[in-house]
Amino acid sequence: ETETPSNVSSGLDTPGEHGSHCHSSPAHAAWGPEEGGGTGHRGTKLGYIVTDVPPWYLCILLGIQHFLTAMGGLVAIPLILSEGLCLQHDLLTQSHLISTIFFVSGICTLLQVLFGVRLPIIQGGTFTFLTPTLAMLSLPSWKCPAWTQNATLVNASSPEFIQVWQTRMREVQGTIIVASCFQIFVGFSGLIGFLMRFIGPLTIAPTITLVALPLFESAGDMAGQHWGVAFMTIFFIVLFSQYLKDVAVPLPSYQRAEKCHFSPIYLFQIFPVLLGLSLSWLLCYVLTVASVLPAAPAAYGHLARTDTRGAVLAQAPWFRLPYPGQWGRPTVSLAGIFGMLAGVISSMLESVGDYYACARLCGAPSPPQHAISRGIGVEGIGCLLAGAWGTGSGTTSYSENVGALGITKVGSRVVIIAGACAMLLSGIFGKVGAMLASIPIPVIGGMFLVMFGVITAVGISNLQYTDMNSSRNIFIFGFSLFAGLTIPNWANKNSTLLETGIMQLDQVILVLLTTGMFVGGLLGFILDNTIPGTQEERGLLAWKQSHEGGMESSQLVSKVYDLPFGIGTKYCNVSWFHYLPACPKRLPCDNRMNELKAAGQKNSLKASLERNSETGDDTRI
């Protein structure tokens, strides 16, 4: 259960003001002090809770850390989409896509923290949009021309090539914009609560699992460019994230009371992907300089060299401001919309779980319904902005950054605002995106093997709420998962058998049947809601209990989740405002508590007057 912090309304002392405070114990938090703050999940001591404001230097350091934690997922999405967009040989445009997704993620994070669910949670590109997007781009009308697959024939600045990839990007943009309107409606109308009654673990498990499983071919092709380099990357990431995660590295730090001293930082636990990529990249550079890796373009392992993709650093501008419509006016087709809706629903359900987990870890009460509705609605606005800017994906809450809250023991939302500013700046500096686009392909493939494996396991982990000794549940999950792999594979190979003679209908059918997460999720939803089973057997009982909080005071809930800048309280405080599903409600218990407080003050005053009359004191003014 979530434990309510006792001093949520009080400010915290600056670290180092207490002479007895010391960071030298490995049991302490990775960053930040442990005095003050509050308690989070399972009574874990927090340095700063959600409403606190840490010192500016701590906000900057931890904000950059959150950005670096999300960087792996942010960079992966444009690199995966580049093949479907015919951009695998245009590194400069890939770097622009990376910068754009950084910039938009920063904007969406600011909107979510300030006006959305108001929890310290990072927003970024979502993998749930990748599967329907790639399915749409695999349609016969959108398949890349053969000449774009040959690096010697590609002229990235030619109008013909620009037209090829921008028409595909504009189609993806329009599809995301239309699908985001559905998410905005579901969020701000309060329908998310209604949908949660019918969607349980047996629907979510195959849906999220099938987000990553169809990407095995892409990850294998990249890693197969040099398996030695790919396994080296995997080795480093696994070493840091699993074996060395509890090893504290003493790093120099400064505080007023202790001056210069060493503090234990759980570096490997915080940055396993970043450290693994950096070391593998460095070793590839050494092998390139030593001419160990082949220089011939046709030789196996050539793409592991760092000089094959390094030219993009010189080509990229220092400053480039992404803007809406930078790839042209978005276009819309019916085919991609239905497939993208499956990604939107999966993203919403995943985000609701992230909200509760984030609240537990940052010392906040469980989010009320109006905060959840507002968070989903703001995520829909984020997807709309992502479509307008042209990131190639929507936005969602990042689970890995929620986990980082438990490591740093700092749950302040000001830290996430600092991280959003770091994303905005990185999106403006073009060299940052260019540097990340120049990572050798086998290194990226090794990272994908780990990342997609984790996403698959996260999907399967939803089964922990269900009774897996039940033959009913085993059948639903197994059949949904296997059908989600089999049917798209057959539809890709036999698309002519699905033709009805109506081109638009053919495209809709083909996209839906080639989107594994849609097929598996739909089958899981139908079977779970039609085959008889108890609430406990289906996992709905445990699912609801895990998403319920304690009886926190309404003042604490209001302090964390009400809109900022006095919206709805001091300003715009009209009578109909509180009837909107996404707006804070004035609970009856608030009035009751005010009555009790007034009655208590009245009784206290009466008792005081009685005591004074007995002693003969004159209390008249």
Side-chain angles (χ1 to χ4, degrees):
E1 291 182 354
T2 305
E3 293 188 17
T4 305
S6 58
N7 58 343
V8 66
S9 60
S10 63
L12 290 182
D13 296 324
T14 303
E17 288 184 351
H18 301 281
S20 60
H21 177 67
C22 181
H23 281 294
S24 59
S25 172
H28 283 185
W31 289 94
E34 290 208 2
E35 73 269 8
T39 54
H41 186 44
R42 295 177 183 174
T44 304
K45 188 72 174 177
L46 293 173
Y48 297 96
I49 57 175
V50 60
T51 53
D52 291 328
V53 181
W56 63 269
Y57 57 86
L58 197 61
C59 289
I60 293 174
L61 288 175
L62 290 171
I64 294 174
Q65 171 188 282
H66 275 284
F67 168 49
L68 295 177
T69 304
M71 184 179 288
L74 293 174
V75 173
I77 291 170
L79 296 180
I80 296 171
L81 279 178
S82 62
E83 186 174 354
L85 296 171
C86 317
L87 286 173
Q88 60 267 46
H89 299 301
D90 186 2
L91 300 182
L92 183 60
T93 303
Q94 289 183 30
S95 72
H96 293 339
L97 289 177
I98 292 173
S99 297
T100 301
I101 201 170
F102 283 169
F103 187 80
V104 174
S105 297
I107 295 176
C108 296
T109 301
L110 287 176
L111 290 176
Q112 187 67 271
V113 175
L114 293 175
F115 302 103
V117 73
R118 305 216 66 211
L119 288 171
I121 194 164
I122 290 283
Q123 302 290 293
T126 170
F127 284 93
T128 58
F129 281 37
L130 273 182
T131 306
T133 300
L134 294 175
M136 183 182 70
L137 293 175
S138 66
L139 289 172
S141 58
W142 292 117
K143 283 189 177 178
C144 295
W147 61 270
T148 61
Q149 313 299 312
N150 191 337
T152 58
L153 299 177
V154 172
N155 180 8
S157 59
S158 68
E160 183 183 7
F161 178 74
I162 293 175
Q163 179 68 13
V164 166
W165 75 263
Q166 284 194 356
T167 52
R168 287 158 175 76
M169 174 57 83
R170 290 196 292 268
E171 187 74 13
V172 174
Q173 287 181 252
T175 305
I176 292 173
I177 289 173
V178 174
S180 67
C181 294
F182 172 74
Q183 184 170 0
I184 293 172
F185 172 73
V186 169
F188 288 116
S189 66
L191 278 179
I192 184 65
F194 176 76
L195 290 176
M196 292 293 289
R197 299 178 187 175
F198 304 99
I199 300 176
L202 287 172
T203 303
I204 294 175
T207 303
I208 297 180
T209 302
L210 288 167
V211 169
L213 281 182
L215 298 174
F216 74 93
E217 189 173 356
S218 174
D221 289 343
M222 287 185 169
Q225 298 296 331
H226 196 296
W227 280 108
V229 172
F231 277 119
M232 177 177 63
T233 306
I234 295 170
F235 169 76
F236 284 135
I237 295 176
V238 173
L239 177 68
F240 297 146
S241 65
Q242 304 301 322
Y243 293 99
L244 300 179
K245 62 181 179 180
D246 296 325
V247 177
V249 179
L251 294 179
S253 62
Y254 176 82
Q255 289 180 346
R256 279 183 249 170
E258 302 178 15
K259 303 302 181 184
C260 292
H261 64 288
F262 287 90
S263 298
I265 309 298
Y266 293 94
L267 208 60
F268 303 120
Q269 191 177 28
I270 299 171
F271 304 121
V273 175
L274 185 68
L275 292 174
L277 286 179
S278 302
L279 280 177
S280 298
W281 199 354
L282 179 62
L283 289 175
C284 284
Y285 173 75
V286 172
L287 295 176
T288 302
V289 172
S291 299
V292 175
L293 297 172
Y300 176 77
H302 171 72
L303 291 178
R305 294 178 63 92
T306 55
D307 54 4
T308 59
R309 299 162 66 90
V312 68
L313 275 172
Q315 300 172 6
W318 278 101
F319 299 99
R320 180 183 177 276
L321 183 64
Y323 58 91
Q326 57 186 335
W327 317 128
R329 181 182 297 175
T331 58
V332 182
S333 67
L334 196 62
I337 294 174
F338 290 98
M340 200 67 73
L341 287 178
V344 167
I345 294 172
S346 302
S347 175
M348 288 192 294
L349 297 176
E350 185 181 0
S351 293
V352 170
D354 288 337
Y355 295 161
Y356 285 98
C358 183
R360 288 196 300 268
L361 289 171
C362 70
S366 294
Q369 191 61 47
H370 70 81
I372 295 174
S373 299
R374 201 167 61 239
I376 295 298
V378 170
E379 280 195 19
I381 294 175
C383 291
L384 183 69
L385 297 178
W389 258 266
T391 64
S393 176
T395 60
T396 190
S397 302
Y398 265 32
S399 303
E400 51 265 42
N401 289 88
V402 174
L405 297 175
I407 299 172
T408 61
K409 304 296 186 295
V410 176
S412 172
R413 55 187 166 213
V414 180
V415 168
I416 303 300
I417 292 175
C421 295
M423 284 192 266
L424 287 171
L425 291 175
S426 299
I428 295 173
F429 286 102
K431 296 291 185 184
V432 174
M435 181 183 67
L436 295 171
S438 65
I439 300 174
I441 287 180
V443 175
I444 299 171
M447 178 188 71
F448 283 174
L449 284 175
V450 176
M451 186 176 296
F452 296 158
V454 171
I455 294 173
T456 303
V458 167
I460 297 174
S461 69
N462 286 279
L463 297 175
Q464 65 182 300
Y465 301 104
T466 66
D467 179 11
M468 290 312 291
N469 291 319
S470 167
S471 59
R472 170 195 182 274
N473 294 345
I474 291 175
F475 163 73
I476 292 174
F477 177 72
F479 176 71
S480 302
L481 183 65
F482 198 71
L485 294 172
T486 306
I487 294 176
N489 182 61
W490 179 87
N492 274 319
K493 295 178 180 178
N494 302 276
S495 58
T496 56
L497 298 176
L498 299 172
E499 293 179 356
T500 63
I502 305 173
M503 186 181 66
Q504 291 80 3
L505 181 61
D506 292 344
Q507 290 181 346
V508 170
I509 293 173
L510 190 58
V511 168
L512 292 181
L513 292 183
T514 54
T515 305
M517 58 182 292
F518 172 80
V519 175
L522 180 64
L523 289 173
F525 173 79
I526 293 173
L527 295 174
D528 189 33
N529 285 281
T530 55
I531 298 178
T534 64
Q535 294 274 316
E536 185 177 3
E537 184 182 14
R538 296 173 61 190
L540 296 178
L541 198 60
W543 179 269
K544 291 176 182 177
Q545 288 175 351
S546 69
H547 286 175
E548 288 177 356
M551 299 297 293
E552 294 89 1
S553 70
S554 57
Q555 282 87 353
L556 180 58
V557 173
S558 175
K559 184 176 181 63
V560 175
Y561 295 108
D562 277 6
L563 289 167
F565 313 123
I567 300 175
T569 53
K570 296 180 181 178
Y571 310 106
C572 303
N573 189 13
V574 291
S575 57
W576 54 264
F577 187 82
H578 299 285
Y579 292 99
L580 298 176
C583 295
K585 308 294 187 295
R586 188 170 298 279
L587 300 175
C589 59
D590 292 345
N591 299 329
R592 177 62 180 160
M593 289 185 69
N594 292 333
E595 292 174 2
L596 291 173
K597 187 182 294 185
Q601 292 175 350
K602 185 177 180 180
N603 292 336
S604 176
L605 178 61
K606 183 178 180 181
S608 176
L609 290 174
E610 289 176 353
R611 285 195 304 269
N612 291 334
S613 63
E614 290 175 1
T615 57
D617 294 336
D618 187 2
T619 57
R620 290 174 297 178
I621 299 176

